Amino acid sequence: MAAKEMYGNLGQSRDFSLLAGTGTERTVGVAVKPGSGLLARGTIIQMGADGLYVPAETGKMADGACAVLESDTQTGSEVKGVAPSALAYSHGFFLKGKLSLKTGKLTAADLLELRRQGITTDNMDGELNNEVAGG
């Protein structure tokens, strides 16, 4: 396969990492509550009163322990059944642009609570343009 086919756009690269820095991350296995459909990698999840994790919502980060999904996780559409297992980061330094919530955007208060729990962010979004202009 030619390099042009591999990268699609010459001069651009996309970082698929969630982490802005390494060495601080800690992973944990979690059980995700069924019925939330497909949760994308980088979704912030939060432990509910039943011990199962659900997608976090803005303004509610202090309601339970938070984590960041390490990979896409299918929870199905049925709220009954077996809770799928997933790998998540309970601590780490993340690219802010790669994190997502169930609805809404991360607020300053959300980021402060996440930091208190060991989840810190960098304002980078993971996009890099290597194009050099001039001549």
Side-chain angles (χ1 to χ4, degrees):
M1 174 180 286
K4 187 172 183 177
E5 293 168 346
M6 282 178 57
Y7 294 107
N9 288 323
L10 292 176
Q12 291 186 352
S13 137
R14 187 177 183 109
D15 181 2
F16 291 100
S17 179
L18 296 172
L19 298 170
T22 59
T24 61
E25 66 277 6
R26 185 175 344 152
T27 56
V28 293
V30 297
V32 183
K33 191 169 191 165
S36 294
L38 178 64
L39 300 179
R41 178 174 192 242
T43 299
I44 299 171
I45 55 175
Q46 187 168 35
M47 184 188 293
D50 58 4
L52 299 176
Y53 281 78
V54 295
E57 297 181 49
T58 190
K60 298 183 178 181
M61 299 297 160
D63 292 348
C66 292
V68 177
L69 283 175
E70 189 273 339
S71 59
D72 292 351
T73 303
Q74 181 57 257
T75 67
S77 58
E78 297 293 322
V79 295
K80 295 180 181 179
V82 177
S85 297
L87 185 64
Y89 295 102
S90 61
H91 288 78
F93 184 41
F94 297 90
L95 297 168
K96 182 179 171 188
K98 298 292 183 166
L99 300 180
S100 61
L101 299 171
K102 178 180 180 179
T103 57
K105 295 186 179 211
L106 287 168
T107 65
D110 294 335
L111 292 172
L112 183 62
E113 177 57 28
L114 287 171
R115 176 178 289 255
R116 189 187 69 72
Q117 294 187 34
I119 298 172
T120 57
T121 62
D122 188 310
N123 283 328
M124 296 185 309
D125 63 6
E127 299 290 327
L128 177 65
N129 185 343
N130 292 334
E131 184 176 344
V132 177

